């Protein structure tokens, strides 16, 4: 098992109950997507799993390392691609990747990363001069620099043109093929349907459905995940 979450609660200082006892597990090499409306608790979950936030209550472990006690270990095996990746704007693509690589004991081969993410023609380009899609690729390369076992992708295709989106889907498939566990948050249900082995729908801090996209689609008798998701939201009284 790659990720295990049991009865996880997060209550922020202002008493907002962002997570109210969620439980799920992710197998190694799976693509697992967290879905749900704005404010449901997806980012809070990812932040806890990446040791940015402490859980209020509950058991969380990543490849057997408990959070928050073993966060030093967790940070070594998890790569994070945040929504707003801040690369070093005046450094080249290559130097950005090299910098992130220098943070880890265990490293990926930088030339291989550049190759996988199709960044060869931009290695000497400054980060600030890249388009959004290529910045996203650099973000992924940097997240992979420490040869992680698990990668978190937070809404990775926002703002990308259709072709770049498809390219990113291919990258996710490549990660999966190489045995990396991928945790994805997305509002694009076509993306979740195509890429995910399993999805969890979070609503108001609780997981209201968990299963394969097909299971959710057949429960609501819909031919795609977006329609099934919308039917689920309607059944929950969401406008
Ligand atoms: N630092 C914080 N302090 C207080 N409340 C917070 C904080 N961060 C998030 N929240 C609240 O926690 C709840 C869950 O937020 P979260 O960002 O996890 O949702 P999300 O599912 O990622 O939403 P989105 O799809 O909009 O990114 C929301 O009610 C949000 O307002």
């Amino acid at each position: 098992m790659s990720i295990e979450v049991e009865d996880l609660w997060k209550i922020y200082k202002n008493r907002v109950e962002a997570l109210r006892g969620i439980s799920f597990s992710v197998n190694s090499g799976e693509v697992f997507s967290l879905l749900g409306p704005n404010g449901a608790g997806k980012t809070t979950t990812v932040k806890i799993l990446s040791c940015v936030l402490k859980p209020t209550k509950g058991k969380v472990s990543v490849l057997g390392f408990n959070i928050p006690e073993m966060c030093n270990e967790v940070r070594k095996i998890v790569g994070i691609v945040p929504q707003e990746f801040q690369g070093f704007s005046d450094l080249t693509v290559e130097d950005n990747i090299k910098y992130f690589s220098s943070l880890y004991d265990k490293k990926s081969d930088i030339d291989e990363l550049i190759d996988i993410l199709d960044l060869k023609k931009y290695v000497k380009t400054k980060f600030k001069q890249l388009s959004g899609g290529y910045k996203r690729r650099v973000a992924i390369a940097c997240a992979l620099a420490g040869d992680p076992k698990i990668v978190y992708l937070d809404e990775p295709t926002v703002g990308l043109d259709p072709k770049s989106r498809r390219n990113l889907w291919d990258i996710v498939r490549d990660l999966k093929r190489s045995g990396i566990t991928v945790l994805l948050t997305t509002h694009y249900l076509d993306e979740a349907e195509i890429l995910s082995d399993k999805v969890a729908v979070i609503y108001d801090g609780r997981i209201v459905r968990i299963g394969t996209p097909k299971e959710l689609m057949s429960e609501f008798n819909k031919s795609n995940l977006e329609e099934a998701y919308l039917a689920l939201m309607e059944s929950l009284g969401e406008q």
Side-chain angles (χ1 to χ4, degrees):
M1 203 62 79
S2 197
I3 300 171
E4 280 195 274
V5 174
E6 215 180 293
D7 195 27
L8 171 63
W9 287 74
K10 178 67 191 179
I11 304 170
Y12 284 107
K13 288 204 179 76
N14 60 359
R15 296 198 193 154
V16 169
E17 292 185 349
L19 297 175
R20 310 181 200 205
I22 65 166
S23 301
F24 64 91
S25 54
V26 184
N27 292 318
S28 294
E30 236 175 28
V31 178
F32 187 94
S33 297
L34 290 173
L35 312 176
N38 292 132
K42 304 177 297 293
T43 306
T44 302
T45 306
V46 173
K47 281 185 175 167
I48 291 172
L49 286 170
S50 44
C51 294
V52 174
L53 278 179
K54 279 190 179 169
T56 306
K57 204 178 90 177
K59 186 173 176 291
V60 184
S61 74
V62 171
L63 286 183
F65 298 115
N66 289 337
I67 291 176
E69 297 83 2
M70 302 177 89
C71 273
N72 282 341
E73 298 305 316
V74 172
R75 288 191 189 99
K76 289 179 195 163
I77 50 167
V78 167
I80 306 164
V81 185
Q83 241 176 86
E84 293 298 326
F85 171 73
Q86 302 293 340
F88 294 98
S89 44
D90 281 313
L91 290 186
T92 64
V93 165
E94 189 175 26
D95 287 343
N96 266 284
I97 301 172
K98 279 186 179 160
Y99 170 76
F100 279 88
S101 174
S102 74
L103 303 177
Y104 296 96
D105 299 332
K106 193 162 174 269
K107 302 172 198 304
S108 298
D109 183 314
I110 292 179
D111 290 334
E112 205 175 300
L113 283 179
I114 287 168
D115 208 33
I116 293 167
L117 291 152
D118 211 4
L119 284 165
K120 205 157 206 153
K121 57 179 183 286
Y122 293 112
V123 278
K124 301 292 178 205
T125 305
K126 285 183 178 173
F127 181 78
K128 66 181 177 190
Q129 292 166 337
L130 296 172
S131 70
Y134 275 90
K135 282 183 176 157
R136 206 62 58 85
R137 284 170 190 241
V138 175
I140 296 172
C142 292
L144 295 175
D147 196 17
K149 302 273 176 278
I150 302 175
V151 174
Y152 302 147
L153 294 164
D154 196 7
E155 297 187 36
T157 59
V158 170
L160 299 191
D161 65 48
K163 184 154 185 294
S164 305
R165 268 185 93 206
R166 296 295 163 108
N167 289 340
L168 204 129
W169 294 357
D170 287 338
I171 292 167
V172 172
R173 291 189 187 109
D174 286 345
L175 294 178
K176 180 182 159 66
R177 225 170 281 138
S178 62
I180 293 177
T181 306
V182 179
L183 187 79
L184 191 71
T185 70
T186 184
H187 289 294
Y188 299 121
L189 281 299
D190 56 343
E191 183 164 301
E193 180 182 332
I194 285 170
L195 296 176
S196 318
D197 296 299
K198 242 195 260 168
V199 301
V201 183
I202 305 189
Y203 183 79
D204 207 11
R206 293 192 177 92
I207 289 183
V208 290
R209 283 299 183 283
I210 192 159
T212 64
K214 268 201 176 128
E215 282 166 351
L216 205 62
M217 282 146 62
S218 66
E219 178 185 345
F220 290 94
N221 200 20
K222 301 288 184 192
S223 59
N224 66 58
L225 188 62
E226 179 157 288
E227 293 294 328
Y229 174 87
L230 291 172
L232 170 62
M233 287 300 129
E234 201 179 319
S235 75
L236 294 165
E238 179 85 354
Q239 295 305 306

